[in-house]
Amino acid sequence: MKHEQTPIPASGEVADKKKTLILDAAEALFAEQGYADVSIRDIALHAKANVAAVNYHFGSKERLFEALFARRVVPVNEERLVLLAAARQRGRNGKPALRELVEAFVRPPLLLGDPASHGERGLVMMRFLSRMLAMPREHVFLDSYYGEVRSSFIATLREILPGLPFESVLWRYNLMVGALIYALAGPQRMLRPPDGLPPAPPVNWVVENAIAEIVDFCTAGLSTAGTVAYQ
């Protein structure tokens, strides 16, 4: 039987480059196929590395996935909180405008798909986030990485929308999250016209248009009067 050789520890710069190649390969595969259908061997093959190297750097597929999660989600969430704080400073009595709150939430992840900033890799990053946030065990990572963002945005929504029951605020926040997850799948999903309804719109992804569309939609949904009477 052929055994994988344990890799010789590399210098810091070389090791970081190898880890990045493995992370990039894993991200592309997870974005395309989902977490369950990708093996460590698939990732090693895609990264032109051996399985031992992947295990040496990450230990397991789950730990590799969490490293990918953190690589994308931590900067996104930090930027969300910065934008929310800036919107609060601009608002009346320290309360941000509802539209600015929504934009603070959706702009950072959608900017990952901006071809001007990230090229073709941008859509890969967006699709990875979309799949990751919709996976069955997403709560394992959300509790660790999303707690502050979730608490901050829900608390601010309650300030801005004092007439809504808390249950409605939770519903609408989660519907905003759901709309964002769907949009993160990119133009193939969002700009696909129904069959037999010409003329088809041009399938091009302009990130500022995507941000404006979801901000328009979510702002309208969040601000409408509620009809559910909670006991």
Side-chain angles (χ1 to χ4, degrees), residues 120-135:
E120 294 182 2
R121 179 136 208 98
L123 290 179
V124 172
M125 292 189 286
M126 282 208 323
R127 289 175 190 139
F128 167 74
L129 275 181
S130 179
R131 276 193 180 268
M132 172 271 299
L133 291 169
M135 65 184 288

Side-chain angles (χ1 to χ4, degrees), residues 82-156:
V82 167
L83 292 175
L84 181 61
R88 186 179 285 279
Q89 287 185 337
R90 289 191 297 270
R92 292 183 178 180
N93 301 317
K95 296 180 182 179
L98 179 59
R99 184 179 182 86
E100 289 196 34
L101 177 145
V102 175
E103 183 163 346
F105 189 80
V106 307
R107 173 174 285 278
L110 285 171
L111 279 180
L112 289 178
D114 184 5
S117 302
H118 301 288
E120 294 182 2
R121 179 136 208 98
L123 290 179
V124 172
M125 292 189 286
M126 282 208 323
R127 289 175 190 139
F128 167 74
L129 275 181
S130 179
R131 276 193 180 268
M132 172 271 299
L133 291 169
M135 65 184 288
R137 295 180 66 249
E138 44 82 26
H139 66 278
V140 174
F141 298 114
L142 294 189
D143 291 344
S144 299
Y145 292 97
Y146 271 92
E148 183 180 4
V149 162
R150 185 173 186 271
S151 297
S152 297
F153 276 83
I154 289 174
T156 308

Side-chain angles (χ1 to χ4, degrees), residues 2 4 29 38-47 49 51 54:
K2 183 179 179 180
E4 293 279 354
L29 290 172
V38 175
S39 69
I40 287 288
R41 189 168 295 279
D42 294 331
I43 295 166
L45 182 64
H46 200 75
V51 171
V54 178

Side-chain angles (χ1 to χ4, degrees), residues 5 21 38 50 64 66 81 87 96 108 111 157 166 178 188 193 224:
Q5 292 183 345
L21 289 173
V38 175
N50 58 39
L64 169 56
E66 184 171 2
L81 294 172
L111 279 180
L157 281 171
F166 184 38
Q188 284 79 4
T224 192

Side-chain angles (χ1 to χ4, degrees), residues 175-220:
L175 288 168
M176 177 173 68
V177 173
L180 175 62
I181 291 171
Y182 198 88
L184 284 170
Q188 284 79 4
R189 177 179 288 175
M190 300 307 295
L191 293 173
R192 183 179 64 230
D195 293 337
L197 290 180
V203 182
N204 61 342
W205 184 261
V206 179
V207 70
E208 291 299 331
N209 291 350
I211 291 169
E213 290 285 4
I214 195 168
V215 169
D216 288 346
F217 176 79
C218 291
T219 301

